[in-house]
């Protein structure tokens, strides 16, 4: 409240806007404008070659190693799936993450690829991108993966995933903290990928964001 006062604000999602006004009680005028994405540039970068040749099909998770991102939930769900594909994590390797993987017997099936300056070829090459956070603002990786033409699955966490997927791809949402539901949905999407041809991502274009800012 001291920082923002009654100044006009821009929130990246309706959920963040609600947090600012209802939860924090700010008297600000809040407009919601999603983060801008250069769709053409992302698709062009997605065509660049991967720095390695995948041994098997893979599912991708992109996000720093923190409690919020729920790598534990993702690994529990992955352990329940058949050993047919790899799970690749675009995050920095830490002893805690390595232990988490080893404790579930997944050292052969889970690869830690580290931070990638260009994650888009990784997204484009994945069968599926999974986000399993307990909370977000507006999860860019969901939008970026969809721009790359890759199906996504996300926990229905506050906030952002439902705003991105609720109308266009509601089956991509699973309850928070439910490893069984996450595993089932991953298996469903891997067996029968959803049709993304009807998705309209123009609301996230840089042009639309610029118009909204103006």
């Amino acid at each position: 409240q001291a920082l923002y006062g009654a100044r006009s604000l821009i929130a990246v999602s309706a959920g963040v806007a609600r947090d600012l006004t209802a939860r924090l009680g700010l008297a600000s005028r809040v407009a919601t404008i999603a983060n801008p994405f250069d769709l053409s540039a992302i698709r062009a970068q997605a065509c660049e070659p991967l720095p390695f040749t995948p041994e098997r099909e893979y599912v991708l998770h992109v996000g720093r190693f923190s409690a919020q991102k729920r790598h534990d939930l993702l690994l529990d769900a992955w352990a329940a799936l058949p050993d047919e594909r790899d799970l690749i994590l675009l995050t920095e390797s830490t002893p805690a993450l390595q232990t988490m993987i080893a404790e579930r017997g997944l050292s052969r099936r889970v690869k830690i690829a580290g931070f990638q300056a260009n994650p888009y070829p990784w997204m484009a090459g994945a069968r599926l991108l999974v986000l399993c956070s307990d909370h977000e603002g507006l999860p860019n990786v969901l939008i970026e993966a969809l721009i790359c033409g890759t199906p996504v699955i996300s926990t229905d966490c506050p906030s952002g995933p439902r705003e991105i997927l609720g109308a266009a791809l509601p089956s991509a949402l699973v309850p928070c903290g439910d490893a069984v539901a996450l595993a089932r949905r991953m298996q469903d999407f891997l067996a029968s990928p959803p049709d993304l041809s009807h998705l309209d991502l123009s609301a996230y274009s840089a042009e639309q964001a610029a118009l909204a800012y103006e």
Side-chain angles (χ1 to χ4, degrees):
Q1 289 176 338
L3 180 63
Y4 294 124
R7 288 186 286 178
S8 297
L9 301 172
I10 292 172
V12 295
S13 68
V16 171
R18 286 192 298 271
D19 283 346
L20 291 168
T21 54
R23 293 172 63 87
L24 297 182
L26 297 184
S28 307
R29 182 177 70 86
V30 181
T32 299
I33 304 175
N35 291 327
F37 298 83
D38 188 333
L39 277 64
S40 297
I42 288 173
R43 288 172 179 141
Q45 288 177 272
C47 293
E48 295 180 7
L50 276 171
F52 79 112
T53 301
E55 297 177 1
R56 304 196 291 179
E57 292 183 342
Y58 65 90
V59 170
L60 187 69
H61 179 272
V62 181
R64 69 188 183 280
F65 181 58
S66 69
Q68 168 202 348
K69 299 296 185 179
R70 294 301 306 270
H71 286 81
D72 60 325
L73 180 74
L74 177 61
L75 294 172
D76 285 343
W78 192 248
L81 266 60
D83 183 5
E84 299 172 345
R85 300 172 181 85
D86 288 330
L87 173 64
I88 295 181
L89 308 176
L90 295 195
T91 189
E92 294 304 315
S93 181
T94 69
L97 177 57
Q98 292 171 358
T99 298
M100 194 178 285
I101 293 168
E103 287 177 344
R104 292 163 173 80
L106 294 173
S107 297
R108 193 181 66 82
R109 299 174 54 196
V110 178
K111 318 294 184 186
I112 305 174
F115 171 81
Q116 299 293 323
N118 178 12
Y120 304 127
W122 300 77
M123 292 181 181
R127 285 289 307 277
L128 185 64
L129 180 135
V130 180
L131 182 131
C132 44
S133 302
D134 282 337
H135 57 88
E136 291 283 346
L138 183 77
N140 290 349
V141 294
L142 294 182
I143 300 167
E144 290 167 333
L146 292 171
I147 292 170
C148 293
T150 300
V152 300
I153 291 175
S154 175
T155 46
D156 191 8
C157 67
S159 58
R162 180 162 289 275
E163 295 178 41
I164 298 167
L165 301 167
L169 196 62
S171 61
L173 297 170
V174 298
C176 286
D178 191 334
V180 173
L182 181 59
R184 287 174 178 166
R185 196 58 48 82
M186 283 196 287
Q187 188 67 18
D188 290 344
F189 273 32
L190 288 168
S192 180
D195 179 14
L196 304 182
S197 63
H198 66 287
L199 290 181
D200 181 6
L201 300 172
S202 62
Y204 303 106
S205 68
E207 293 80 6
Q208 288 297 318
L211 288 172
Y213 278 121
E214 290 175 348

